[in-house]
């Protein structure tokens, strides 16, 4: 696609956008009375207008029915998690039996590591990306210590080469192969939260399996952003949160994927709870945990219906839009942003974009390292109505989200940035 870096081109793209109606289904925040240029869907997705209706339904059913809502609510609470399965399966490329909405992201990361990180004297290494999201780092470190191991020895960090920011797939493959049969688990953020790199899930999983290790992915920044094909790619497990691209509200219910080949493997150790117990006997209150087949067997607690309702509202929109269509638009939208950025700073005096240039290696986010006075530039953007994300020492992350951002948003952002950079 050849982009013209003009407002009229942006508007033409918006007119021809088959997904344009979805923007009207979201509340877009205002800055000083003007609709904001919102580019932080990678941090907190916007609220669908339908969310209120979904939550109100549960409040109404609770008021009217009390405990009977478990059976007689419009969407009976007892099976509420099941209503999310179809959409989640489509979004992450899985079978409905492989996905479940439950807990919070870091909780799910721990639960999955309990099952898939089972170090032995010989096979104990955990291969992760360097600079992983802090919560993930703390989870890795504490899991390793829990098994009585030394994190400095057990955790192997994949790093970019000197002077590079992306981690090359060939380097990941070589590192896994080097550590060979000492590797217990390869666990990577499918899309890196800071650089925006989208890793090669298929290749990483294949390589991990070839040395006899498991492969898991933290899809916090990938779910609803890129196509994951978790089932086809043979991933062992994945986890994600729902408040970023999935627009399900701050601290909303998270999700997990376990591949169906582990569905009936009761030998996998796990931390159990009653919601993971064999459904038909759940209320017999008997001793002896019998897990449900599939990822459902990893559930612990009864379903949080209010945050689940917000989740469902957003999932309905994803089903209507389709992840393939969203990704198609996303590639254009982010490509347009990239083209505009290149135009603003042809010689790279002001900033560098360190997200991979190859569209297959990124989602919608671009990370911009500002060379001078980054914070000042960011403040100017904010004052001009841009909501973006700031990371010390000088990084601005911008995520044009195909569900509700427009080509015009992206164009206007570039104009504001241009002005903010001018002394
Ligand atoms: C957002 C994010 C988290 C946050 O964890 P919560 O348990 O939802 O608070 C963790 N890991 C990654 C990679 C993230 O992007």
């Amino acid at each position: 696609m050849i982009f013209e870096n003009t407002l009229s081109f942006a508007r033409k793209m918006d007119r021809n956008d088959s997904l344009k109606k979805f923007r009207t289904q979201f509340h877009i925040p205002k800055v000083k009375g003007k609709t904001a240029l919102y580019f932080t869907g990678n941090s907190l997705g916007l609220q669908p207008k339908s969310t209120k209706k979904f939550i109100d339904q549960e409040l109404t059913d609770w008021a009217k029915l009390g405990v009977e809502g478990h059976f007689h609510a419009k969407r009976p609470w007892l099976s509420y998690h099941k209503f999310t399965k179809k959409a989640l399966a489509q979004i992450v490329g899985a079978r409905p039996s492989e996905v479940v909405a439950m807990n919070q992201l870091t909780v799910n990361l721990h639960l999955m590591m309990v099952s898939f990180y089972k170090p032995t004297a010989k096979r104990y290494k955990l291969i992760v990306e360097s600079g992983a999201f802090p919560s993930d780092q703390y989870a890795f470190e504490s899991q390793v210590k829990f098994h009585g191991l030394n994190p400095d020895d057990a955790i192997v960090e994949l790093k970019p080469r000197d002077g590079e920011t992306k981690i090359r797939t060939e380097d990941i493959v070589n590192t896994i192969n080097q550590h060979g049969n000492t590797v217990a688990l390869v666990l990577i953020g499918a899309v890196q939260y800071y650089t925006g790199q989208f890793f090669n899930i298929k290749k990483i999983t294949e390589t991990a399996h070839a040395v006899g290790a498991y492969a898991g992915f933290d899809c916090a920044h990938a779910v609803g952003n890129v196509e994951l094909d978790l089932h086809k790619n043979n991933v062992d497990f994945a986890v994600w949160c729902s408040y970023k691209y999935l627009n399900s509200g701050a601290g909303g219910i998270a999700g997990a994927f376990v591949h169906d080949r582990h569905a009936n493997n009761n030998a996998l150790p796990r931390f159990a709870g009653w919601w993971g117990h064999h459904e038909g006997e759940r209320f017999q209150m008997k001793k002896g945990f019998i897990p449900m087949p599939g990822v459902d067997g990893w559930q612990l607690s009864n379903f949080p219906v209010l945050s689940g309702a917000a989740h469902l509202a957003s999932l309905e929109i994803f089903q209507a839009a389709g992840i393939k269509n969203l990704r198609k638009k996303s590639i254009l939208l982010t490509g347009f942003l990239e083209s505009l950025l290149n135009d603003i700073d042809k010689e790279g005096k002001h900033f560098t974009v360190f997200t991979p240039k190859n569209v297959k290696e990124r989602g919608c986010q671009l990370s911009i390292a500002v060379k001078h006075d980054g914070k000042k530039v960011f403040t100017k953007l904010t004052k001009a109505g841009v909501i973006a994300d700031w990371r010390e020492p000088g990084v601005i992350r911008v995520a044009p989200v195909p569900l509700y951002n427009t080509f015009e948003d992206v164009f206007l952002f570039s104009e504001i940035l241009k002005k903010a950079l001018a002394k």
Side-chain angles (χ1 to χ4, degrees):
M1 176 104 204
I2 309 284
F3 297 108
E4 281 169 44
N5 296 338
T6 62
L7 181 59
S8 62
F9 175 80
R11 287 184 170 157
K12 190 176 90 191
M13 291 297 283
D14 286 330
R15 276 196 306 277
N16 296 336
D17 172 15
S18 62
L19 299 173
K20 68 180 163 214
K21 70 167 188 223
F22 290 102
R23 176 178 171 87
T24 63
Q25 297 180 19
F26 287 86
H27 291 291
I28 318 246
K30 295 205 150 105
V31 176
K32 292 186 215 143
K34 257 181 64 188
T35 302
L37 296 171
Y38 194 82
F39 290 113
T40 35
N42 56 343
S43 187
L44 188 81
L46 291 180
Q47 184 189 137
K49 290 177 180 164
S50 57
T51 303
K52 209 184 202 105
K53 193 182 77 192
F54 275 76
I55 293 179
D56 274 349
Q57 179 72 50
E58 301 319 319
L59 291 175
T60 304
D61 287 348
W62 179 19
K64 277 206 313 225
L65 301 166
V67 72
E68 294 294 314
H70 282 104
F71 310 100
H72 303 303
K74 180 177 173 207
R75 300 181 189 90
W77 304 333
L78 207 53
S79 33
Y80 209 100
H81 70 279
K82 292 182 186 169
F83 306 128
T84 64
K85 276 180 177 283
K86 199 169 159 202
L88 282 176
Q90 283 172 6
I91 291 169
V92 301
R95 297 174 179 164
S97 54
E98 292 173 319
V99 291
V100 74
M102 62 178 187
N103 310 316
Q104 303 287 89
L105 169 55
T106 309
V107 174
N108 289 342
L109 195 56
H110 275 297
L111 292 180
M112 289 298 132
M113 288 187 77
V114 163
S115 297
F116 293 97
Y117 180 61
K118 303 175 290 172
T120 62
K122 195 159 164 254
R123 190 186 282 282
Y124 64 96
K125 286 188 185 150
L126 173 63
I127 298 189
V128 303
E129 93 256 22
S130 69
F133 194 92
S135 199
D136 299 43
Q137 292 188 37
Y138 308 147
F140 303 157
E141 182 190 325
S142 57
Q143 283 276 339
V144 162
K145 285 183 174 165
F146 177 72
H147 289 286
L149 299 167
N150 174 3
D152 293 336
D153 176 34
I155 301 177
V156 177
E157 290 193 350
L158 300 159
K159 292 195 171 73
R161 295 184 187 181
D162 282 346
E164 298 186 359
T165 42
K166 81 169 189 193
I167 308 173
R168 297 189 192 200
T169 306
E170 68 209 80
D171 292 352
I172 299 175
V173 167
N174 288 339
T175 304
I176 297 171
N177 286 334
Q178 260 166 30
H179 291 273
N181 61 8
T182 66
V183 186
L185 173 64
V186 180
L187 180 44
I188 307 220
V191 171
Q192 223 284 338
Y193 83 98
Y194 188 70
T195 64
Q197 178 176 2
F198 178 22
F199 290 98
N200 188 331
I201 292 179
K202 181 167 190 269
K203 190 81 195 164
I204 292 170
T205 304
E206 264 171 25
T207 312
H209 288 172
V211 300
Y214 287 123
F217 292 87
D218 183 333
C219 298
H221 280 263
V223 68
N225 177 20
V226 291
E227 286 176 78
L228 288 163
D229 279 330
L230 295 178
H231 177 84
K232 246 202 272 160
N233 285 329
N234 246 336
V235 167
D236 292 292
F237 71 88
V239 292
W240 55 83
C241 54
S242 70
Y243 48 83
K244 291 169 180 163
Y245 296 105
L246 292 188
N247 312 316
S248 303
I253 187 166
F257 162 94
V258 173
H259 199 283
D260 261 354
R261 74 176 167 281
H262 304 299
N264 294 304
N265 183 359
N266 293 355
L268 284 175
R270 69 179 96 188
F271 287 169
W274 74 321
W275 232 248
H277 184 79
H278 173 33
E279 202 172 23
E281 291 186 356
R282 189 184 289 148
F283 289 91
Q284 292 177 17
M285 307 315 215
K286 276 197 302 204
K287 226 177 153 115
F289 177 68
I290 307 166
M292 303 252 286
V295 71
D296 287 5
W298 271 266
Q299 295 174 98
L300 298 181
S301 300
N302 73 94
F303 192 83
V305 165
L306 295 181
S307 77
H311 196 29
L312 212 51
S314 175
L315 291 179
E316 195 174 70
I317 297 175
F318 269 90
Q319 270 189 297
I323 189 73
K324 279 196 167 56
N325 300 328
L326 287 167
R327 176 66 171 148
K328 239 190 248 163
K329 173 177 170 187
S330 176
I331 287 171
L332 291 176
L333 199 58
T334 297
F336 186 46
L337 173 61
E338 184 179 45
S339 160
L340 290 162
L341 290 174
N342 287 342
D343 238 24
I344 292 177
D345 192 28
K346 289 200 179 76
E347 279 131 47
K349 273 198 288 199
H350 296 292
F351 57 80
T352 45
V353 176
F354 61 93
T355 303
K357 291 189 176 16
N358 180 350
V359 298
K360 287 196 180 124
E361 292 181 317
R362 71 183 186 204
C364 72
Q365 169 191 327
L366 293 183
S367 304
I368 306 167
V370 183
K371 291 183 177 165
H372 319 282
D373 295 331
K375 194 69 209 244
K376 265 193 208 154
V377 172
F378 184 73
T379 306
K380 284 186 193 166
L381 294 179
T382 307
K383 281 199 179 134
V386 173
I387 302 180
D389 176 86
W390 169 257
R391 296 280 140 156
E392 294 293 346
V395 171
I396 300 171
R397 296 185 306 162
V398 191
V401 168
L403 259 180
Y404 47 73
N405 281 122
T406 60
F407 289 84
E408 182 165 340
D409 281 349
V410 167
F411 182 80
L412 296 177
F413 167 77
S414 77
E415 292 286 289
I416 292 169
L417 179 64
K418 203 192 300 181
K419 274 196 208 128
L421 289 166
K423 279 272 152 77

